[in-house]
Amino acid sequence: MDKRLCNSQYAEVRKGPWTMEEDLILMNYIANHGEGVWNSLARSAGLKRTGKSCRLRWLNYLRPDVRRGNITPEEQLLIMELHAKWGNRWSKIAKHLPGRTDNEIKNYWRTRIQKHIKQAENMNRLSSNISEHNNDQQASTSQASTGPADTIETYSGNNNNIMATTFHQSTTFPTETNENIWSMEDLWSMQLLNDATN
DNA sequence: AATACAGACAACCGCATAATT
DNA sequence: CAATTATGCGGTTGTCTGTAT
């Protein structure tokens, strides 16, 4: 490829959050030409984005079968189960959760589950310290629980056995917060409108 | 009311691997 | 078969929003 061309043509590569307009262009283009060959797709569609960026946006957000909203308790359980089995193989895990993306699961793991594991480890350490200290007094149940509503009730102390972890209900599943983003229904209906006029 | 902080999520980056030339 | 390019994955960072002070 001609590097001089690259310099002039690709000097302005957009980064950061996608605009509604960009989303529409991408959706429209994929609806007409299909996905794949992302670099040339980005160019042909007239998007000042890298192919990588387009692919990511499509897979994680724009694809019609992406399921948005809260992770259900069943999904959470499945994630924990599969993570215990495979570790950080997010895309592999995502394949078992229809409509969920690897990115979403990864974020969910890092922001929610990992936090609880850390808390549990701390509590575990604390409790083992206490039991060491109170060597003779078995079953000293007066752990100095700092008691946030979302602390873990039980934990095996083993990262590979997170399944033993249970959460208070108040912890999990915040309500959906999509207000800052145009709804996918809007985008798709606009895309369809666009399509009809072409 | 202002602002500092934390949590959630979207997006980027670097690397490994697959596909193509 | 080597070099180049495209794709996919996982880690990390950036941005936005809600909450506490």
Side-chain angles (χ1 to χ4, degrees):
Chain A
M1 216 185 247
D2 190 333
K3 283 190 177 167
R4 284 162 303 173
L5 233 183
C6 286
N7 285 340
S8 58
Q9 194 174 351
Y10 303 111
E12 40 166 346
V13 174
R14 267 187 58 80
K15 286 185 182 179
W18 280 64
T19 65
M20 189 176 180
E21 199 184 358
E22 287 177 309
D23 279 348
L24 277 169
I25 291 171
L26 183 58
M27 288 167 72
N28 205 27
Y29 190 89
I30 289 176
N32 290 327
H33 301 89
E35 55 179 286
V37 205
W38 295 103
N39 280 327
S40 62
L41 183 153
R43 242 173 293 134
S44 309
L47 288 162
K48 294 186 174 75
R49 296 274 181 174
T50 64
K52 256 184 172 185
S53 179
C54 293
R55 175 186 161 271
L56 205 71
R57 184 64 177 170
W58 174 253
L59 292 178
N60 287 337
Y61 194 81
L62 296 175
R63 238 177 18 175
D65 58 326
V66 168
R67 209 174 129 196
R68 310 201 63 76
N70 308 331
I71 302 277
T72 66
E74 291 76 26
E75 286 175 318
Q76 180 183 343
L77 214 64
L78 189 57
I79 290 169
M80 295 198 298
E81 192 179 339
L82 296 177
H83 187 273
K85 210 195 273 183
W86 295 324
N88 297 358
R89 305 293 306 278
W90 305 116
S91 63
K92 198 172 177 179
I93 293 171
K95 287 194 177 96
H96 289 73
L97 289 124
R100 300 295 184 187
T101 67
D102 55 349
N103 209 30
E104 191 179 9
I105 294 169
K106 180 170 58 180
N107 281 332
Y108 181 75
W109 182 268
R110 289 189 63 80
T111 56
R112 321 278 173 85
I113 300 180
Q114 214 166 50
K115 189 177 71 184
H116 289 290
I117 292 172
K118 272 206 183 115
Q119 280 180 359
E121 276 173 350
N122 287 341
M123 286 189 65
N124 213 36
R125 209 170 301 130
L126 189 70
S127 70
S128 65
N129 281 348
I130 289 172
S131 61
E132 257 177 45
H133 191 255
N134 300 334
N135 217 356
D136 299 332
Q137 309 173 353
Q138 281 189 356
S140 82
T141 52
S142 59
Q143 293 182 15
S145 166
T146 51
D150 58 358
T151 50
I152 287 170
E153 292 179 341
T154 61
Y155 179 67
S156 70
N158 175 358
N159 270 346
N160 293 324
N161 194 11
I162 316 155
M163 289 305 294
T165 310
T166 58
F167 302 94
H168 271 154
Q169 285 196 329
S170 62
T171 315
T172 48
F173 330 125
T175 53
E176 185 162 6
T177 56
N178 277 349
E179 281 85 352
N180 58 325
I181 305 166
W182 46 91
S183 81
M184 288 307 294
E185 285 77 14
D186 289 345
L187 269 176
W188 276 103
S189 59
M190 289 177 77
Q191 197 274 328
L192 286 173
L193 260 173
N194 241 336
D195 218 25
T197 56
N198 281 340

